[in-house]
Amino acid sequence: MQIDTSTAAEFDGAMAPMPLLAAAELQDHLMTVTNDLERLQRLLDDAGEALSNHFYSASNQAMSLLSGSDGSAASEGLKQIMQDIAGAITALQFQDMATQLIAHTSQRLRNCADQLARDTFGMDDEDGAAVVEIAPLRPNPVTQDEMDAGSIELF
């Protein structure tokens, strides 16, 4: 992203307001990124829902087979399948955290774009002052940054 800020002049240690063209271009880039993040979130949500449904179905089928097993090698295989399904469900829980982080980031970017528009373009009109949604107060809704073994909840 190349933004021409060569017309911004510094005086008394403060920067002059950003030129309108540069501000418009920056706002456009912010909105494009926000839209891309929202599209990514929808894709992740759809994939997560499909995976969750398939894992839940596979888990139910494996449990049904396991309850009718006789302790043979096949039942040991079913136990391993259940452990693998549990691990996959843990990964889905991290997908859920990723979508929360995407939503948070998208909200912050939209807030920046709205503030830029209000401050640069003076978006007040006959209906009143431009409304800028409040940015999230917390810096990050998700603190987990790696997958770790733990309890599993089927959702």
Side-chain angles (χ1 to χ4, degrees):
M1 168 175 62
Q2 285 281 3
I3 297 176
D4 180 21
T5 58
S6 60
T7 58
E10 187 173 339
F11 48 91
D12 295 333
M15 291 295 290
M18 182 181 292
L20 283 178
L21 183 58
E25 191 174 326
L26 180 59
Q27 183 194 27
D28 186 50
H29 286 297
L30 288 170
M31 294 306 295
T32 299
V33 169
T34 300
N35 292 333
D36 288 347
L37 284 172
E38 289 170 357
R39 191 170 59 243
L40 175 60
Q41 183 168 357
R42 285 190 302 274
L43 289 170
L44 282 172
D45 286 343
D46 289 345
E49 185 176 334
L51 285 170
S52 179
N53 289 337
H54 289 292
F55 287 131
Y56 187 72
S57 175
S59 175
N60 284 339
Q61 290 177 13
M63 286 298 290
S64 176
L65 291 171
L66 192 57
S67 67
S69 70
D70 58 3
S72 65
S75 65
E76 289 304 313
L78 286 171
K79 288 178 184 175
Q80 181 59 48
I81 289 171
M82 289 301 295
Q83 288 177 349
D84 290 340
I85 290 172
I89 291 171
T90 299
L92 279 174
Q93 291 171 332
F94 279 85
Q95 174 269 335
D96 181 55
M97 288 189 288
T99 60
Q100 290 177 46
L101 185 56
I102 289 170
H104 176 83
T105 302
S106 181
Q107 187 179 9
R108 291 185 75 82
L109 285 170
R110 188 169 299 279
N111 175 266
C112 289
D114 290 348
Q115 281 184 14
L116 180 65
R118 182 194 62 206
D119 295 347
T120 303
F121 306 116
M123 300 303 256
D124 297 343
D125 58 19
E126 66 274 357
D127 294 332
V131 176
V132 175
E133 193 173 316
I134 297 171
L137 298 177
R138 292 177 33 197
N140 183 349
V142 178
T143 57
Q144 189 80 17
D145 60 2
E146 63 184 52
M147 289 197 327
D148 212 356
S151 63
I152 306 298
E153 290 182 24
L154 290 176
F155 26 150

